[in-house]
């Protein structure tokens, strides 16, 4: 019960003999806290249990839908999307396709990034192309020509240099960039 | 000591450990727009 | 057969839910027909139908192509349960009984499956069933049951909510890892489920806490039972890692749960998990901003926060067993005969295995010692409120002497556990931390121990040091107390023989 009992813990080299030090002395918790979304020094302490994906990092492969409530006023909105005084209903691809054309760019980008692998992603892709946006395969972002400037096509005709407007999904805003665009990189 | 049968059951539980996809909210009814669709491999496949 | 007819009805239910949203009128009509046409009109029919539905759902999971939607039938069943709890008329039986019948049926199928399949049992479908049940309940109860238009039904459901989680937690307790090892990882994931753990933590008046304590103790007991110091089975170390993250998340969201339940949690936490112990003991109420324990000008006696006693959710007096009266009488009127009763009452009849640092078994009732020490601390803080500070901050007071007598008359093991129990109270600045800091400092410098002095001092240093050499977090009260001991002017710690004997320890003490 005295200090000698602590020796195996203190002497790191032969820790394997007596105790599993990761459970006794423990570990540096900062990576664990970070994986939980806990930042001890930040003033604002965000609750993490409401979006807790799993007890283990390895099984926390995707975000999980947290508890939320959709007020009625968000659901049955009449007189929008040319639905007349009925709230719009989304129950057939043909009708829905027409409605998609009524959405503003940001809404299309939202549907494209939020619902991967769905009909919505495909339809928004088609609609954005119609609006002269092009999807960059490697950058995985949408871009369109800056109307103010005509790009200069390269000699070999495989690319052009000019000023483009990108939609940045991380910052959720459009930003202008000078850029060399290779035609085979977009779709 | 942990009985052998218990240890192997614990092992199989570890192998089948549920992940966050198993814990996600169920969505039985899919509107046509949210139905799965083979989109381009270049598109982002995680929200 | 009847079972096949049940399969058919359930299959129709699954298809319906894929075609219309769950709050579509067609869903209500289907349920009404299930009742009116005798599928769900009586308990035995309900049991038969649920059994069929679960078996069909679990089989469909096992037979589906893993990349497809393997949980459709299971999710449909959890939707049905919540719909029934919401829509049926419960004038004859209560929602709680109805829910328990359904849950019992799930348990029947679940345990038969485990028994039949042994190692090939797959926990995932049952996990999904319970997880979706929580999600469906959350969907129904959203925004205080705003979806329920009928005022009476809404009122009943609000009242039922606590019972919903009570029943859920009771069955989760039944599924604990020691009982169903093949369900262990699903069980831990359910315990920490985003629609369960935060709900139970935040039910009004802490109504969810007793169940949570029960479940956390199930988890800690399971880990404790199978944690060998030298060899920890891989699965147990994965359990430990998950438990660590859960406790960190609880400590972040609702530290008050750890603050007010440290006594119960530590009763089940194996002593080798020193960092997990620090995580529990280092928690402090969210609204407090505590002074820097390393501040050289800090004096615990002058720390304002140390006037208030910490909240203790579970009163240790319940665990004093037949020592309650002798202890309370001693605190009022200390006599040697009472003390003898207490000192001789802390031993076990036979050894118990105890995974400790430096020992493997114990002949002492550790829980009882923890209860006595904390109870004395609680009473001391109350006494200070009632009478005055020096009624307890003096080495003649019965609150102090009960502890020193326990140490004097006890074996080395008793000395060790009393000092450990005292150190468990050295937490964030509060009245208990202040008083136990006083107790430990006076014990360390006291000359009443005779030739026991060195042994007691060494146990005190060991107990504090093991909490400081552990990775963060460290307890505010432990740092302050150890600093006080380091500052003792009459004797420098590093010169004490039992420290000089161990160069590594001497080095640490000198650095500190």
């Amino acid at each position: 019960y005295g200090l000698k009992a602590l020796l195996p813990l203190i002497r790191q080299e032969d820790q394997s003999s007596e105790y599993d030090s990761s459970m006794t002395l423990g570990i540096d918790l900062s990576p664990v806290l970070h994986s939980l979304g806990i930042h001890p020094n930040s003033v604002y302490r965000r609750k993490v249990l409401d979006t807790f994906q799993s007890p283990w990092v390895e099984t926390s492969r995707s975000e999980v839908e947290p508890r939320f409530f959709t007020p009625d006023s968000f659901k049955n909105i009449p007189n929008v999307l040319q639905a007349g005084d009925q709230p719009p209903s989304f129950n057939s691809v043909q009708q829905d396709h027409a409605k998609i054309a009524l959405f503003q760019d940001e809404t299309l980008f939202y549907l494209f990034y939020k619902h991967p692998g769905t009909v919505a992603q495909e339809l928004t892709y088609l609609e954005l192309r119609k609006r002269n946006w092009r999807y960059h395969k490697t950058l995985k972002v949408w871009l369109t020509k800056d109307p103010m400037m005509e790009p200069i096509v390269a000699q070999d005709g495989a690319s052009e240099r000019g000023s483009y407007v990108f939609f940045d999904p991380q910052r959720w805003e459009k930003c202008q960039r000078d850029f060399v665009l290779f035609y085979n990189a977009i779709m | 000591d942990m009985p052998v049968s218990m240890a192997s059951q614990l092992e199989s539980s570890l192998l089948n450990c549920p992940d966050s996809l198993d814990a996600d909210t169920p969505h039985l009814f899919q509107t046509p727009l949210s139905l799965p669709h083979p989109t381009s491999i270049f598109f982002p496949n995680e929200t | 057969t009847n079972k096949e007819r049940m399969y058919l009805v359930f299959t129709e239910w699954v298809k319906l839910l894929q075609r219309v949203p769950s709050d579509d009128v067609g869903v209500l009509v289907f349920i009404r027909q299930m009742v009116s046409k005798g599928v769900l009109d009586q308990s035995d029919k309900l049991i038969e139908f649920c059994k069929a539905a679960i078996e069909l759902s679990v089989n469909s999971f096992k037979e589906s192509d893993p990349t497809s939607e393997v949980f459709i039938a299971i999710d449909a069943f959890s939707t049905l349960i919540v719909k029934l709890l919401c829509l049926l008329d419960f004038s004859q039986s209560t929602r709680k009984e109805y829910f328990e019948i359904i849950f019992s049926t799930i348990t029947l199928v679940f345990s038969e499956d485990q028994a039949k399949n042994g190692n090939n049992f797959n926990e995932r479908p049952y996990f999904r069933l319970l997880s979706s049940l929580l999600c469906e309940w959350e969907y129904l109860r959203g925004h205080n049951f705003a979806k329920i238009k009928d005022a009476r039904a809404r009122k009943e459901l609000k009242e039922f909510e606590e019972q919903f989680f009570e029943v859920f937690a009771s069955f989760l307790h039944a599924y604990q890892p020691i009982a169903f090892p093949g369900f262990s990882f699903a069980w831990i994931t359910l315990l920490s489920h985003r629609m369960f753990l935060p709900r139970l933590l935040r039910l009004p008046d802490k109504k969810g806490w007793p169940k949570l304590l029960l479940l956390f103790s199930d988890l800690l007991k399971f880990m404790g039972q199978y944690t060998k110091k030298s060899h920890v089975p891989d699965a147990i170390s994965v359990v430990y890692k998950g438990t660590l993250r859960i406790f960190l998340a609880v400590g972040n969201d609702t530290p008050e749960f750890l603050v007010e339940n440290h006594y119960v949690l530590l009763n089940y936490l194996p002593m080798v998990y020193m960092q997990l112990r620090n995580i529990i003991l280092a928690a402090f109420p969210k609204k407090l901003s505590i002074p820097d324990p390393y501040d050289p000008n800090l004096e615990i006696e002058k720390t304002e926060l140390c006037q208030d006693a910490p909240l203790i959710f579970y009163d240790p007096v319940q665990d004093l067993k037949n020592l309650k009266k002798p202890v309370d009488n001693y605190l009022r009127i200390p006599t040697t005969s009472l003390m003898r009763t207490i000192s001789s009452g802390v031993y076990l009849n036979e050894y118990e295995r105890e995974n400790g640092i430096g020992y493997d078994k114990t002949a002492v009732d550790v829980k009882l010692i923890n209860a006595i020490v904390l109870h004395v601390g609680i009473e001391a803080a109350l006494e200070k409120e009632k009478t005055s500070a020096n009624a307890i901050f003096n080495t003649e007071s019965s609150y102090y002497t009960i502890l020193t007598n326990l140490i004097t008359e006890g074996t080395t093991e008793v000395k060790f556990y009393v000092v450990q129990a005292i150190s468990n109270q050295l937490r964030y600045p509060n009245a208990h931390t202040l008083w136990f800091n006083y107790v430990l400092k006076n014990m360390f410098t006291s000359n009443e121990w005779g030739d026991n002095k060195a042994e007691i001092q060494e146990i005190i240093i060991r107990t504090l040091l093991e909490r400081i050499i552990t990775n963060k977090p460290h307890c505010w009260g432990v740092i302050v107390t150890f600093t006080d001991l380091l500052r003792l002017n009459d004797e420098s710690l590093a010169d004490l023989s039992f420290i000089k004997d161990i160069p590594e320890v001497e080095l640490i003490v000198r650095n500190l």
Side-chain angles (χ1 to χ4, degrees):
Chain A
Y1 301 109
L3 284 161
K4 287 189 182 58
L6 299 185
L7 274 181
L9 295 175
I10 297 172
R11 287 184 191 143
Q12 291 303 335
E13 74 280 353
D14 65 357
Q15 70 188 359
S16 57
S17 67
E18 187 81 11
Y19 302 101
D20 176 338
S21 76
S22 70
M23 294 160 94
T24 50
L25 295 181
I27 55 172
D28 167 17
L29 291 178
S30 16
V32 182
L33 291 167
H34 183 75
S35 75
L36 285 165
I38 296 173
H39 307 292
N41 309 325
S42 79
V43 175
Y44 173 57
R45 214 197 279 222
R46 191 176 64 83
K47 286 195 183 308
V48 297
L49 283 170
D50 292 304
T51 51
F52 198 67
Q53 298 150 7
S54 157
W56 298 277
V57 180
E58 298 77 7
T59 48
S60 307
R61 291 189 310 153
S62 62
E63 292 188 342
V64 283
E65 186 178 288
R67 169 179 45 245
F68 72 95
F69 175 74
T70 312
D72 273 346
S73 59
F74 275 48
K75 279 187 279 201
N76 308 314
I77 306 172
N79 305 316
V80 288
L81 296 176
Q82 296 171 358
D85 57 359
Q86 293 303 318
S89 61
F90 290 89
N91 49 24
S92 95
V93 176
Q94 288 69 22
Q95 288 171 11
D96 300 348
H97 195 166
K99 291 193 188 80
I100 291 245
L102 303 170
F103 290 152
Q104 58 175 320
D105 292 358
E106 276 71 8
T107 308
L108 295 176
F109 290 128
Y110 169 80
L111 289 171
F112 178 83
Y113 284 107
K114 184 72 179 72
H115 298 290
T118 65
V119 170
Q121 188 176 52
E122 188 66 25
L123 292 181
T124 51
Y125 161 69
L126 297 173
E127 182 54 32
L128 283 163
R129 278 183 56 79
K130 237 187 256 170
R131 301 183 190 183
N132 284 330
W133 286 87
R134 289 293 178 273
Y135 182 72
H136 198 285
K137 292 185 272 190
T138 43
L139 298 179
K140 294 193 179 298
V141 289
W142 285 91
L143 63 98
T144 185
K145 275 182 189 151
D146 179 341
M148 313 308 283
M149 258 184 65
E150 260 316 297
I152 301 149
V153 181
Q155 291 301 342
D156 59 4
S159 68
E160 64 182 39
R161 164 190 294 284
S163 152
Y164 298 87
V165 176
F166 288 79
F167 182 79
D168 177 344
Q170 304 303 331
R171 301 218 313 255
W172 205 255
E173 60 185 15
K174 295 177 182 174
C175 42
Q176 186 273 339
R177 287 278 184 289
D178 293 341
F179 182 69
V180 176
L181 173 68
F182 286 87
Y183 297 131
N184 62 0
I186 54 174
M187 57 187 281
Chain B
D1 285 330
M2 189 182 294
V4 172
S5 65
M6 183 178 197
S8 50
Q9 284 179 40
L10 198 57
E11 279 306 313
S12 78
S13 169
L14 179 52
L15 290 176
N16 291 318
C17 185
D19 65 18
S20 46
L21 291 169
D22 289 2
D24 207 1
T25 305
H27 288 295
L28 278 167
F29 171 62
Q30 303 271 12
T31 59
L33 276 185
S34 46
L35 284 177
H37 182 85
T39 51
S40 156
I41 52 165
F42 297 108
F43 288 176
N45 52 18
E46 289 279 321
T47 53
Chain C
T1 65
N2 207 26
K3 173 164 273 201
E4 281 158 346
R5 286 173 58 238
M6 297 290 177
Y7 283 162
L8 262 181
V9 171
F10 182 63
T11 308
E12 284 308 300
W13 170 257
V14 176
K15 283 189 210 154
L16 174 67
L17 284 183
Q18 287 177 278
R19 278 171 182 60
V20 295
S22 66
D23 39 16
D24 181 280
V25 68
V27 171
L28 308 192
V29 171
F30 193 99
I31 288 182
R32 182 177 302 143
Q33 285 173 352
M34 287 171 89
V35 176
S36 62
K37 294 186 185 307
V39 176
L40 292 179
D41 57 342
Q42 288 146 24
S43 305
D44 53 344
K45 297 273 190 61
L46 170 69
I47 292 168
E48 197 180 352
F49 179 80
C50 288
K51 212 164 173 310
I54 300 163
E55 283 163 1
L56 197 63
S57 308
V58 172
N59 290 337
S60 84
F61 164 82
K62 289 174 182 170
E63 280 145 28
S64 302
D65 157 15
T67 58
S68 71
E69 291 295 317
V70 295
F71 293 127
I72 287 180
I74 291 169
D75 293 345
F77 183 59
S78 54
T79 306
L80 177 62
I81 296 172
V82 174
K83 283 287 173 198
L84 292 172
L85 288 172
C86 172
L87 296 169
L88 292 190
D89 164 27
F90 288 95
S91 47
Q92 305 309 321
S93 74
T94 66
R95 276 186 175 79
K96 186 166 189 275
E97 285 157 3
Y98 196 80
F99 191 32
E100 281 171 343
I101 290 175
I102 294 175
F103 232 121
S104 304
T105 312
I106 295 170
T107 309
L108 209 66
V109 175
F110 167 75
S111 47
E112 273 169 6
D113 188 343
Q114 287 226 38
K116 195 169 55 179
N117 292 303
N119 295 352
N120 304 324
F121 169 75
N122 191 330
E123 62 194 348
R124 285 181 64 208
Y126 298 97
F127 169 82
R128 177 69 180 207
L129 173 54
L130 299 179
S131 169
S132 299
L133 191 55
L134 291 169
C135 295
E136 291 296 332
W137 177 260
E138 191 51 53
Y139 179 71
L140 170 73
R141 64 112 28 237
H143 220 56
N144 229 351
F145 298 93
K147 287 185 191 64
I148 310 295
K149 302 302 173 220
D150 174 291
R152 187 171 63 87
R154 187 169 169 191
K155 178 174 170 298
E156 284 175 7
L157 283 166
K158 272 190 195 173
E159 284 156 10
F160 173 66
E161 162 130 83
E162 193 189 305
Q163 292 170 338
F164 174 87
F165 284 108
E166 165 115 11
V167 169
F168 195 98
S170 303
F171 278 93
L172 205 52
H173 173 57
Y175 300 168
Q176 62 177 285
I178 280 186
F180 292 101
F183 192 66
S184 301
F185 289 88
W187 188 87
I188 297 169
T189 311
L190 281 168
L191 170 56
S192 60
H193 196 283
R194 67 190 182 287
M195 310 286 187
F196 180 72
L197 180 49
R199 274 269 165 245
L200 254 68
L201 282 170
R202 298 201 284 255
L203 278 181
D205 309 322
K206 304 171 189 172
K207 285 224 174 64
W209 283 18
K211 283 293 180 202
L212 270 187
L213 275 175
L214 183 67
L215 294 170
F216 274 118
S217 55
D218 294 341
L219 176 57
L220 294 175
K221 274 191 280 192
F222 175 66
M223 282 162 47
Q225 177 77 12
Y226 297 111
T227 299
K228 293 263 166 300
K229 285 184 297 193
S230 45
H231 164 65
V232 179
D234 289 351
I236 295 291
S237 63
V238 175
V239 167
Y240 171 79
K241 287 192 183 76
T243 305
L244 187 74
R245 288 181 94 238
I246 293 169
F247 271 95
L248 287 169
V250 170
N252 176 74
D253 283 24
T254 316
E256 290 76 10
F257 179 75
L258 300 183
V259 168
E260 299 182 36
N261 294 294
H262 75 299
Y263 162 75
V264 173
L265 292 168
L266 256 64
N267 270 341
Y268 293 109
L269 182 74
M271 299 280 269
V272 283
Y273 294 146
M274 299 197 309
Q275 183 171 40
L276 195 44
R277 178 176 61 184
N278 275 2
I279 288 169
I280 293 169
L281 295 178
F284 59 88
K286 250 186 201 159
K287 63 188 181 312
L288 286 195
S289 70
I290 59 179
D292 174 6
Y294 296 100
D295 173 355
N297 307 316
L298 177 89
E299 285 183 58
I300 188 168
E301 293 78 7
K302 296 198 175 73
T303 306
E304 188 51 40
L305 287 171
C306 286
Q307 301 314 313
D308 309 325
L311 289 175
I312 306 281
F313 182 68
Y314 174 91
D315 189 338
V317 77
Q318 307 167 63
D319 295 341
L320 288 180
K321 302 177 197 167
N322 53 358
L323 288 189
K324 176 176 172 351
K325 286 197 75 50
V327 168
D328 282 341
N329 291 342
Y330 181 91
L331 293 180
R332 241 194 330 279
I333 309 156
T335 67
T336 45
S337 66
L338 278 172
M339 194 61 227
R340 201 171 311 114
T341 308
I342 297 166
S343 300
S344 57
V346 296
Y347 295 96
L348 295 169
N349 301 326
E350 73 259 341
Y351 276 117
E352 260 179 22
R353 207 169 51 74
E354 169 67 47
N355 253 333
I357 307 287
Y359 54 91
D360 292 312
K361 58 185 184 302
T362 173
V364 163
D365 187 337
V366 184
K367 288 194 179 70
L368 182 55
I369 286 189
N370 289 341
I372 294 172
V373 170
L374 180 52
H375 176 64
V376 168
I378 292 170
E379 294 303 310
L382 292 174
E383 180 64 19
K384 176 173 158 276
E385 290 303 309
K386 265 188 296 195
T387 55
S388 69
N390 82 340
I392 60 167
F393 287 96
N394 86 55
T395 54
E396 301 310 315
S397 84
S398 60
Y399 300 94
Y400 179 80
T401 56
I402 188 171
L403 298 177
T404 50
N405 287 331
L406 263 176
I407 287 177
T408 310
E409 293 165 25
T411 59
T412 308
E413 197 177 359
V414 168
K415 297 177 173 49
F416 174 73
Y417 284 113
V418 171
V419 170
Q420 285 282 348
I422 290 171
S423 307
N424 289 347
Q425 312 315 321
L426 299 172
R427 299 191 290 156
Y428 68 94
N430 62 52
H432 294 179
T433 303
L434 175 62
W435 188 67
F436 282 109
N437 164 275
Y438 166 83
V439 166
L440 218 48
K441 277 191 301 198
N442 280 280
M443 281 184 175
F444 190 79
T445 53
S446 156
N447 291 313
E448 314 277 316
W449 304 119
D451 51 8
N452 272 343
K453 176 164 181 163
E455 179 182 63
I456 290 163
Q457 286 186 320
E458 179 174 358
I459 287 177
I460 292 174
I461 296 297
R462 175 244 157 101
T463 303
L464 294 174
L465 200 57
E466 76 180 24
R467 295 154 194 254
I468 287 177
I469 59 175
T470 304
N471 272 288
K472 283 181 186 167
H474 295 138
C475 300
W476 186 90
V478 168
I479 298 167
V480 170
T481 306
F482 201 80
T483 310
D484 289 348
L485 296 184
L486 284 170
R487 277 196 195 136
L488 285 175
N489 36 30
D490 45 350
E491 55 193 341
S492 146
L493 281 196
D495 299 334
L496 290 168
S497 61
F498 55 79
I499 288 182
K500 287 176 81 71
D501 289 353
I502 311 175
E504 291 90 340
V505 172
E506 186 187 4
L507 185 65
I508 291 175
V509 170
R510 286 206 187 286
N511 290 344
L512 285 172

